[in-house]
């Protein structure tokens, strides 16, 4: 709400500016995503150009957030403790998602770089975990191969021994 009141939209409240409900709905409140920014919604009161520019500026960082979220969920499914990354991502995500209401394309572009740096940091730790998991899988495969070889040798030895000891 603070961001909204500071924005061109908030300043035009009562004189043609959109309210929360104009964009988010009232009874059928939809999940807030960048999809709200479309020609039909944003072209009603002014040309769509600026709206399109702000959407474009936000899209890449949004994509990174979704990508990292997917990775975290994958690790979670594999039983990795993802609590701290979830918290970091949640914090970045929430700060990022309130950026829209100022409807300030320049600011979004300027801050997107900083957000991306933070996200890259999370991405890098996740990549390290991925590497470690990969290494663990290879070691696991080697151990299993070793055990199988040992079982085979034991079996062959036993057969040879049984053959020899037969009267
Ligand atoms: C001009 C259209 C518009 C107006 C006016 C508007 N919003 Fe939004 N709101 C959006 C869009 C678009 C997003 C999604 C931004 C994103 O995905 O980064 C959003 C996101 C949000 C979110 C974030 C949800 C989340 O997932 O974190 C909240 C909360 C929210 N709006 C509340 C409000 C409130 C309260 C008001 C009025 C004070 C308001 N909005 C006014 C378009 C609008
Ligand atoms: C109910 C009318 C209305 C709707 C709907 C609306 N706007 Fe606006 N918008 C305004 C008014 C009024 C202004 C301020 C005067 C102007 O720039 O035309 C404005 C200004 C803007 C600006 C310029 C901000 C600045 O500081 O110069 C952007 C960007 C913008 N709107 C984006 C959007 C987006 C994105 C949506 C759709 C999610 C949207 N608007 C929907 C009325 C609306």
């Amino acid at each position: 709400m603070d961001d909204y009141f500071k924005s061109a939209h908030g300043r035009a409240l009562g004189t043609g500016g959109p309210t929360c409900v104009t964009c988010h709905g009232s009874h059928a409140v939809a999940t807030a995503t960048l999809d709200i920014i479309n020609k039909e919604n944003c072209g009603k009161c002014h040309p769509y150009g600026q709206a399109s520019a702000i959407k474009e500026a936000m899209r890449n960082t949004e994509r990174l957030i979704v990508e990292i979220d997917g990775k975290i969920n994958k690790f979670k499914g594999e039983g990795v403790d993802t609590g701290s990354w979830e918290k970091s991502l949640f914090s970045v995500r929430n700060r990022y998602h309130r950026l829209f209401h100022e409807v300030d394309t320049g600011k979004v572009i300027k801050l997107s770089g900083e957000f991306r740096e933070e996200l890259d940091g999370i991405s890098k730790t996740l990549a390290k975990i991925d590497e470690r998991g990969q290494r663990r899988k290879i070691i696991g495969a080697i151990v299993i191969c070793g055990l199988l070889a040992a079982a085979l040798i034991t079996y062959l030895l036993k057969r040879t021994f049984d053959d020899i000891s037969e009267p």
Side-chain angles (χ1 to χ4, degrees):
M1 200 155 81
D2 289 343
D3 296 338
Y4 165 79
F5 278 125
K6 268 188 271 164
S7 75
H9 283 159
R11 290 197 305 271
L13 179 63
T15 57
T19 66
C20 314
V21 169
T22 314
C23 297
H24 290 288
S26 48
H27 295 297
V29 179
T31 309
T33 70
L34 294 179
D35 291 343
I36 294 176
I37 308 172
N38 59 52
K39 210 166 190 167
E40 200 194 321
N41 285 345
C42 312
K44 261 184 259 173
C45 311
H46 46 60
Y48 182 59
Q50 281 231 53
S52 167
I54 215 165
K55 183 173 185 172
E56 210 41 58
M58 295 197 75
R59 207 183 249 151
N60 285 330
T61 306
E62 176 63 29
R63 209 175 285 145
L64 260 180
I65 292 175
V66 171
E67 202 182 288
I68 293 176
D69 192 40
K71 270 191 208 155
I72 290 179
N73 278 332
K74 181 176 153 270
F75 284 140
K76 205 173 176 177
E78 290 169 359
V80 180
D81 176 14
T82 52
S84 65
W85 307 313
E86 272 175 77
K87 250 187 230 156
S88 309
L89 185 65
F90 192 59
S91 150
V92 180
R93 183 212 164 277
N94 289 348
R95 277 178 284 131
Y96 192 67
H97 279 241
R98 63 175 282 192
L99 206 51
F100 170 78
H101 294 109
E102 288 185 64
V103 285
D104 182 340
T105 318
K107 188 167 177 185
V108 169
I109 291 173
K110 193 169 147 260
L111 290 183
S112 280
E114 290 171 27
F115 276 108
R116 235 167 280 165
E117 262 172 40
E118 263 189 78
L119 290 167
D120 280 344
I122 304 177
S123 248
K124 274 188 193 132
T125 21
L126 288 176
K128 262 187 224 147
I129 299 294
D130 214 8
E131 238 171 66
R132 234 181 279 162
Q134 225 56 19
R135 225 177 295 146
R136 212 174 299 146
K137 269 186 204 151
I138 293 172
I139 293 172
I142 292 172
V143 169
I144 287 172
C145 285
L147 286 173
L148 282 175
L152 184 67
I153 291 168
T154 314
Y155 170 73
L156 290 176
L157 279 176
K158 187 173 177 302
R159 255 185 51 174
T160 318
F161 180 75
D162 287 349
D163 284 350
I164 296 168
S165 56
E166 239 164 55

